[in-house]
PDB file of all heavy atoms in Angstrom:
ATOM      1  N   MET K   1      13.107   5.993 -26.595  1.00  0.00           N
ATOM      2  CA  MET K   1      13.475   6.604 -25.331  1.00  0.00           C
ATOM      3  C   MET K   1      12.403   6.351 -24.273  1.00  0.00           C
ATOM      4  O   MET K   1      12.716   6.071 -23.133  1.00  0.00           O
ATOM      5  CB  MET K   1      13.681   8.111 -25.550  1.00  0.00           C
ATOM      6  CG  MET K   1      14.121   8.828 -24.326  1.00  0.00           C
ATOM      7  SD  MET K   1      15.781   8.364 -23.869  1.00  0.00           S
ATOM      8  CE  MET K   1      16.180   9.642 -22.774  1.00  0.00           C
ATOM      9  N   ASN K   2      11.152   6.442 -24.656  1.00  0.00           N
ATOM     10  CA  ASN K   2      10.064   6.222 -23.716  1.00  0.00           C
ATOM     11  C   ASN K   2      10.037   4.786 -23.194  1.00  0.00           C
ATOM     12  O   ASN K   2       9.754   4.571 -22.024  1.00  0.00           O
ATOM     13  CB  ASN K   2       8.738   6.566 -24.388  1.00  0.00           C
ATOM     14  CG  ASN K   2       7.802   7.299 -23.471  1.00  0.00           C
ATOM     15  OD1 ASN K   2       8.100   7.506 -22.300  1.00  0.00           O
ATOM     16  ND2 ASN K   2       6.673   7.697 -24.008  1.00  0.00           N
ATOM     17  N   VAL K   3      10.315   3.824 -24.045  1.00  0.00           N
ATOM     18  CA  VAL K   3      10.335   2.417 -23.638  1.00  0.00           C
ATOM     19  C   VAL K   3      11.466   2.196 -22.645  1.00  0.00           C
ATOM     20  O   VAL K   3      11.281   1.517 -21.623  1.00  0.00           O
ATOM     21  CB  VAL K   3      10.482   1.482 -24.870  1.00  0.00           C
ATOM     22  CG1 VAL K   3      10.665   0.052 -24.442  1.00  0.00           C
ATOM     23  CG2 VAL K   3       9.286   1.632 -25.786  1.00  0.00           C
ATOM     24  N   ALA K   4      12.617   2.757 -22.903  1.00  0.00           N
ATOM     25  CA  ALA K   4      13.756   2.607 -22.005  1.00  0.00           C
ATOM     26  C   ALA K   4      13.458   3.238 -20.644  1.00  0.00           C
ATOM     27  O   ALA K   4      13.770   2.663 -19.605  1.00  0.00           O
ATOM     28  CB  ALA K   4      15.002   3.231 -22.614  1.00  0.00           C
ATOM     29  N   ARG K   5      12.836   4.389 -20.661  1.00  0.00           N
ATOM     30  CA  ARG K   5      12.483   5.057 -19.410  1.00  0.00           C
ATOM     31  C   ARG K   5      11.463   4.241 -18.613  1.00  0.00           C
ATOM     32  O   ARG K   5      11.593   4.080 -17.399  1.00  0.00           O
ATOM     33  CB  ARG K   5      11.942   6.462 -19.677  1.00  0.00           C
ATOM     34  CG  ARG K   5      11.653   7.213 -18.383  1.00  0.00           C
ATOM     35  CD  ARG K   5      11.136   8.611 -18.631  1.00  0.00           C
ATOM     36  NE  ARG K   5      12.094   9.352 -19.445  1.00  0.00           N
ATOM     37  CZ  ARG K   5      11.761  10.325 -20.253  1.00  0.00           C
ATOM     38  NH1 ARG K   5      10.505  10.708 -20.381  1.00  0.00           N
ATOM     39  NH2 ARG K   5      12.678  10.961 -20.963  1.00  0.00           N
ATOM     40  N   PHE K   7      10.991   1.015 -18.779  1.00  0.00           N
ATOM     41  CA  PHE K   7      11.662  -0.184 -18.258  1.00  0.00           C
ATOM     42  C   PHE K   7      12.508   0.158 -17.040  1.00  0.00           C
ATOM     43  O   PHE K   7      12.480  -0.566 -16.034  1.00  0.00           O
ATOM     44  CB  PHE K   7      12.540  -0.805 -19.345  1.00  0.00           C
ATOM     45  CG  PHE K   7      13.289  -2.021 -18.881  1.00  0.00           C
ATOM     46  CD1 PHE K   7      12.614  -3.196 -18.617  1.00  0.00           C
ATOM     47  CD2 PHE K   7      14.655  -1.966 -18.663  1.00  0.00           C
ATOM     48  CE1 PHE K   7      13.296  -4.321 -18.168  1.00  0.00           C
ATOM     49  CE2 PHE K   7      15.349  -3.073 -18.206  1.00  0.00           C
ATOM     50  CZ  PHE K   7      14.664  -4.264 -17.968  1.00  0.00           C
ATOM     51  N   ASN K   9      12.060   2.645 -14.955  1.00  0.00           N
ATOM     52  CA  ASN K   9      11.141   2.932 -13.858  1.00  0.00           C
ATOM     53  C   ASN K   9      10.599   1.642 -13.240  1.00  0.00           C
ATOM     54  O   ASN K   9      10.493   1.525 -12.019  1.00  0.00           O
ATOM     55  CB  ASN K   9       9.977   3.808 -14.331  1.00  0.00           C
ATOM     56  CG  ASN K   9      10.391   5.241 -14.533  1.00  0.00           C
ATOM     57  OD1 ASN K   9      11.419   5.697 -14.046  1.00  0.00           O
ATOM     58  ND2 ASN K   9       9.574   5.980 -15.270  1.00  0.00           N
ATOM     59  N   ARG K  11      12.066  -1.290 -13.247  1.00  0.00           N
ATOM     60  CA  ARG K  11      13.164  -1.915 -12.508  1.00  0.00           C
ATOM     61  C   ARG K  11      13.385  -1.242 -11.162  1.00  0.00           C
ATOM     62  O   ARG K  11      13.582  -1.910 -10.149  1.00  0.00           O
ATOM     63  CB  ARG K  11      14.457  -1.848 -13.327  1.00  0.00           C
ATOM     64  CG  ARG K  11      14.639  -2.975 -14.262  1.00  0.00           C
ATOM     65  CD  ARG K  11      16.014  -3.029 -14.860  1.00  0.00           C
ATOM     66  NE  ARG K  11      16.978  -2.209 -14.165  1.00  0.00           N
ATOM     67  CZ  ARG K  11      18.021  -1.628 -14.720  1.00  0.00           C
ATOM     68  NH1 ARG K  11      18.242  -1.765 -15.997  1.00  0.00           N
ATOM     69  NH2 ARG K  11      18.860  -0.914 -14.024  1.00  0.00           N
ATOM     70  N   LYS K  12      13.366   0.083 -11.139  1.00  0.00           N
ATOM     71  CA  LYS K  12      13.542   0.804  -9.879  1.00  0.00           C
ATOM     72  C   LYS K  12      12.403   0.483  -8.897  1.00  0.00           C
ATOM     73  O   LYS K  12      12.634   0.282  -7.715  1.00  0.00           O
ATOM     74  CB  LYS K  12      13.591   2.310 -10.158  1.00  0.00           C
ATOM     75  CG  LYS K  12      13.939   3.145  -8.965  1.00  0.00           C
ATOM     76  CD  LYS K  12      14.110   4.613  -9.351  1.00  0.00           C
ATOM     77  CE  LYS K  12      14.531   5.435  -8.158  1.00  0.00           C
ATOM     78  NZ  LYS K  12      14.666   6.857  -8.511  1.00  0.00           N
ATOM     79  N   ARG K  14      10.538  -2.314  -8.819  1.00  0.00           N
ATOM     80  CA  ARG K  14      10.697  -3.696  -8.333  1.00  0.00           C
ATOM     81  C   ARG K  14      11.837  -3.798  -7.335  1.00  0.00           C
ATOM     82  O   ARG K  14      11.729  -4.502  -6.337  1.00  0.00           O
ATOM     83  CB  ARG K  14      10.971  -4.646  -9.510  1.00  0.00           C
ATOM     84  CG  ARG K  14       9.811  -4.893 -10.438  1.00  0.00           C
ATOM     85  CD  ARG K  14       8.545  -5.408  -9.768  1.00  0.00           C
ATOM     86  NE  ARG K  14       8.805  -6.496  -8.852  1.00  0.00           N
ATOM     87  CZ  ARG K  14       8.066  -6.766  -7.771  1.00  0.00           C
ATOM     88  NH1 ARG K  14       7.025  -6.037  -7.479  1.00  0.00           N
ATOM     89  NH2 ARG K  14       8.363  -7.766  -6.984  1.00  0.00           N
ATOM     90  N   VAL K  17      10.646  -2.363  -4.015  1.00  0.00           N
ATOM     91  CA  VAL K  17       9.694  -3.275  -3.356  1.00  0.00           C
ATOM     92  C   VAL K  17      10.459  -4.475  -2.761  1.00  0.00           C
ATOM     93  O   VAL K  17      10.196  -4.869  -1.622  1.00  0.00           O
ATOM     94  CB  VAL K  17       8.604  -3.754  -4.346  1.00  0.00           C
ATOM     95  CG1 VAL K  17       7.803  -4.920  -3.780  1.00  0.00           C
ATOM     96  CG2 VAL K  17       7.677  -2.611  -4.713  1.00  0.00           C
ATOM     97  N   GLU K  19      13.682  -4.709  -1.868  1.00  0.00           N
ATOM     98  CA  GLU K  19      14.540  -4.324  -0.747  1.00  0.00           C
ATOM     99  C   GLU K  19      13.733  -4.042   0.515  1.00  0.00           C
ATOM    100  O   GLU K  19      14.093  -4.484   1.604  1.00  0.00           O
ATOM    101  CB  GLU K  19      15.390  -3.116  -1.114  1.00  0.00           C
ATOM    102  CG  GLU K  19      16.479  -3.427  -2.102  1.00  0.00           C
ATOM    103  CD  GLU K  19      17.289  -2.203  -2.500  1.00  0.00           C
ATOM    104  OE1 GLU K  19      17.101  -1.120  -1.892  1.00  0.00           O
ATOM    105  OE2 GLU K  19      18.098  -2.327  -3.423  1.00  0.00           O
ATOM    106  N   GLY K  21      10.746  -5.168   1.138  1.00  0.00           N
ATOM    107  CA  GLY K  21      10.091  -6.412   1.521  1.00  0.00           C
ATOM    108  C   GLY K  21      10.984  -7.335   2.332  1.00  0.00           C
ATOM    109  O   GLY K  21      10.502  -8.130   3.147  1.00  0.00           O
ATOM    110  N   ARG K  22      12.290  -7.234   2.130  1.00  0.00           N
ATOM    111  CA  ARG K  22      13.227  -8.075   2.877  1.00  0.00           C
ATOM    112  C   ARG K  22      13.491  -7.529   4.287  1.00  0.00           C
ATOM    113  O   ARG K  22      14.027  -8.243   5.130  1.00  0.00           O
ATOM    114  CB  ARG K  22      14.554  -8.163   2.133  1.00  0.00           C
ATOM    115  CG  ARG K  22      14.498  -9.087   0.935  1.00  0.00           C
ATOM    116  CD  ARG K  22      15.877  -9.388   0.398  1.00  0.00           C
ATOM    117  NE  ARG K  22      16.545  -8.199  -0.114  1.00  0.00           N
ATOM    118  CZ  ARG K  22      16.578  -7.835  -1.395  1.00  0.00           C
ATOM    119  NH1 ARG K  22      15.977  -8.585  -2.290  1.00  0.00           N
ATOM    120  NH2 ARG K  22      17.201  -6.756  -1.769  1.00  0.00           N
ATOM    121  N   SER K  24      12.723  -6.253   8.118  1.00  0.00           N
ATOM    122  CA  SER K  24      11.807  -6.676   9.171  1.00  0.00           C
ATOM    123  C   SER K  24      10.808  -5.547   9.447  1.00  0.00           C
ATOM    124  O   SER K  24      11.022  -4.397   9.076  1.00  0.00           O
ATOM    125  CB  SER K  24      12.587  -7.000  10.450  1.00  0.00           C
ATOM    126  OG  SER K  24      13.100  -5.815  11.021  1.00  0.00           O
ATOM    127  N   THR K  25       9.717  -5.916  10.109  1.00  0.00           N
ATOM    128  CA  THR K  25       8.721  -4.919  10.457  1.00  0.00           C
ATOM    129  C   THR K  25       9.328  -3.838  11.337  1.00  0.00           C
ATOM    130  O   THR K  25       9.015  -2.654  11.184  1.00  0.00           O
ATOM    131  CB  THR K  25       7.530  -5.594  11.179  1.00  0.00           C
ATOM    132  OG1 THR K  25       6.988  -6.602  10.301  1.00  0.00           O
ATOM    133  CG2 THR K  25       6.450  -4.600  11.517  1.00  0.00           C
ATOM    134  N   GLN K  29       9.456   0.123  10.591  1.00  0.00           N
ATOM    135  CA  GLN K  29       8.923   1.088  11.557  1.00  0.00           C
ATOM    136  C   GLN K  29       9.938   2.165  11.874  1.00  0.00           C
ATOM    137  O   GLN K  29       9.589   3.338  12.020  1.00  0.00           O
ATOM    138  CB  GLN K  29       8.492   0.388  12.839  1.00  0.00           C
ATOM    139  CG  GLN K  29       7.219  -0.406  12.703  1.00  0.00           C
ATOM    140  CD  GLN K  29       6.885  -1.187  13.977  1.00  0.00           C
ATOM    141  OE1 GLN K  29       7.715  -1.330  14.866  1.00  0.00           O
ATOM    142  NE2 GLN K  29       5.665  -1.674  14.047  1.00  0.00           N
ATOM    143  N   LEU K  31      12.011   3.390   9.894  1.00  0.00           N
ATOM    144  CA  LEU K  31      12.019   4.290   8.744  1.00  0.00           C
ATOM    145  C   LEU K  31      10.689   5.031   8.597  1.00  0.00           C
ATOM    146  O   LEU K  31      10.548   5.889   7.731  1.00  0.00           O
ATOM    147  CB  LEU K  31      12.291   3.503   7.459  1.00  0.00           C
ATOM    148  CG  LEU K  31      13.663   2.858   7.354  1.00  0.00           C
ATOM    149  CD1 LEU K  31      13.726   1.991   6.100  1.00  0.00           C
ATOM    150  CD2 LEU K  31      14.741   3.917   7.318  1.00  0.00           C
ATOM    151  N   ASP K  34       5.015   1.588   6.954  1.00  0.00           N
ATOM    152  CA  ASP K  34       4.201   0.429   7.302  1.00  0.00           C
ATOM    153  C   ASP K  34       4.339  -0.588   6.165  1.00  0.00           C
ATOM    154  O   ASP K  34       4.511  -0.209   5.003  1.00  0.00           O
ATOM    155  CB  ASP K  34       2.740   0.859   7.449  1.00  0.00           C
ATOM    156  CG  ASP K  34       1.877  -0.227   8.035  1.00  0.00           C
ATOM    157  OD1 ASP K  34       2.062  -0.544   9.216  1.00  0.00           O
ATOM    158  OD2 ASP K  34       1.031  -0.753   7.297  1.00  0.00           O
ATOM    159  N   ARG K  35       4.278  -1.852   6.488  1.00  0.00           N
ATOM    160  CA  ARG K  35       4.447  -2.884   5.458  1.00  0.00           C
ATOM    161  C   ARG K  35       3.419  -2.728   4.339  1.00  0.00           C
ATOM    162  O   ARG K  35       3.716  -2.973   3.172  1.00  0.00           O
ATOM    163  CB  ARG K  35       4.339  -4.278   6.100  1.00  0.00           C
ATOM    164  CG  ARG K  35       4.762  -5.357   5.149  1.00  0.00           C
ATOM    165  CD  ARG K  35       5.093  -6.651   5.828  1.00  0.00           C
ATOM    166  NE  ARG K  35       6.265  -6.616   6.686  1.00  0.00           N
ATOM    167  CZ  ARG K  35       7.531  -6.673   6.264  1.00  0.00           C
ATOM    168  NH1 ARG K  35       7.784  -6.734   4.987  1.00  0.00           N
ATOM    169  NH2 ARG K  35       8.544  -6.655   7.116  1.00  0.00           N
ATOM    170  N   ALA K  36       2.222  -2.266   4.663  1.00  0.00           N
ATOM    171  CA  ALA K  36       1.195  -2.079   3.655  1.00  0.00           C
ATOM    172  C   ALA K  36       1.504  -0.913   2.710  1.00  0.00           C
ATOM    173  O   ALA K  36       0.919  -0.806   1.638  1.00  0.00           O
ATOM    174  CB  ALA K  36      -0.154  -1.825   4.333  1.00  0.00           C
ATOM    175  N   ASP K  37       2.435  -0.057   3.087  1.00  0.00           N
ATOM    176  CA  ASP K  37       2.773   1.122   2.288  1.00  0.00           C
ATOM    177  C   ASP K  37       3.971   0.921   1.362  1.00  0.00           C
ATOM    178  O   ASP K  37       4.390   1.852   0.669  1.00  0.00           O
ATOM    179  CB  ASP K  37       3.074   2.315   3.207  1.00  0.00           C
ATOM    180  CG  ASP K  37       1.855   2.738   3.995  1.00  0.00           C
ATOM    181  OD1 ASP K  37       0.730   2.547   3.510  1.00  0.00           O
ATOM    182  OD2 ASP K  37       2.042   3.269   5.108  1.00  0.00           O
ATOM    183  N   ILE K  38       4.518  -0.277   1.322  1.00  0.00           N
ATOM    184  CA  ILE K  38       5.733  -0.519   0.545  1.00  0.00           C
ATOM    185  C   ILE K  38       5.540  -0.169  -0.923  1.00  0.00           C
ATOM    186  O   ILE K  38       6.368   0.522  -1.525  1.00  0.00           O
ATOM    187  CB  ILE K  38       6.215  -1.975   0.710  1.00  0.00           C
ATOM    188  CG1 ILE K  38       6.783  -2.181   2.122  1.00  0.00           C
ATOM    189  CG2 ILE K  38       7.255  -2.336  -0.354  1.00  0.00           C
ATOM    190  CD1 ILE K  38       7.193  -3.609   2.427  1.00  0.00           C
ATOM    191  N   SER K  40       3.379   1.902  -2.327  1.00  0.00           N
ATOM    192  CA  SER K  40       3.228   3.329  -2.557  1.00  0.00           C
ATOM    193  C   SER K  40       4.557   4.066  -2.380  1.00  0.00           C
ATOM    194  O   SER K  40       4.839   5.028  -3.093  1.00  0.00           O
ATOM    195  CB  SER K  40       2.140   3.927  -1.647  1.00  0.00           C
ATOM    196  OG  SER K  40       2.493   3.793  -0.287  1.00  0.00           O
ATOM    197  N   ARG K  43       6.370   3.463  -5.579  1.00  0.00           N
ATOM    198  CA  ARG K  43       5.856   4.332  -6.649  1.00  0.00           C
ATOM    199  C   ARG K  43       6.399   5.745  -6.500  1.00  0.00           C
ATOM    200  O   ARG K  43       6.754   6.390  -7.491  1.00  0.00           O
ATOM    201  CB  ARG K  43       4.327   4.358  -6.621  1.00  0.00           C
ATOM    202  CG  ARG K  43       3.714   3.337  -7.507  1.00  0.00           C
ATOM    203  CD  ARG K  43       2.208   3.499  -7.619  1.00  0.00           C
ATOM    204  NE  ARG K  43       1.578   2.250  -7.239  1.00  0.00           N
ATOM    205  CZ  ARG K  43       1.051   1.985  -6.051  1.00  0.00           C
ATOM    206  NH1 ARG K  43       1.028   2.893  -5.128  1.00  0.00           N
ATOM    207  NH2 ARG K  43       0.536   0.810  -5.804  1.00  0.00           N
ATOM    208  N   ILE K  46       9.892   6.401  -7.898  1.00  0.00           N
ATOM    209  CA  ILE K  46       9.989   6.578  -9.346  1.00  0.00           C
ATOM    210  C   ILE K  46       9.783   8.048  -9.706  1.00  0.00           C
ATOM    211  O   ILE K  46      10.417   8.579 -10.592  1.00  0.00           O
ATOM    212  CB  ILE K  46       8.947   5.709 -10.073  1.00  0.00           C
ATOM    213  CG1 ILE K  46       9.294   4.239  -9.882  1.00  0.00           C
ATOM    214  CG2 ILE K  46       8.883   6.048 -11.551  1.00  0.00           C
ATOM    215  CD1 ILE K  46       8.228   3.295 -10.382  1.00  0.00           C
ATOM    216  N   ALA K  47       8.895   8.725  -8.962  1.00  0.00           N
ATOM    217  CA  ALA K  47       8.567  10.099  -9.267  1.00  0.00           C
ATOM    218  C   ALA K  47       9.739  11.061  -8.991  1.00  0.00           C
ATOM    219  O   ALA K  47       9.751  12.162  -9.502  1.00  0.00           O
ATOM    220  CB  ALA K  47       7.352  10.534  -8.450  1.00  0.00           C
TER     221      ALA K  47
END
Side-chain angles (χ1 to χ4, degrees):
M1 182 69 164
N2 221 357
V3 173
R5 184 179 303 152
F7 179 71
N9 285 343
R11 273 191 15 210
K12 187 174 183 181
R14 290 304 313 151
V17 168
E19 288 178 8
R22 284 192 297 262
S24 70
T25 302
Q29 287 175 346
L31 295 174
D34 190 68
R35 191 161 294 281
D37 295 331
I38 289 176
S40 62
R43 267 188 236 100
I46 293 171

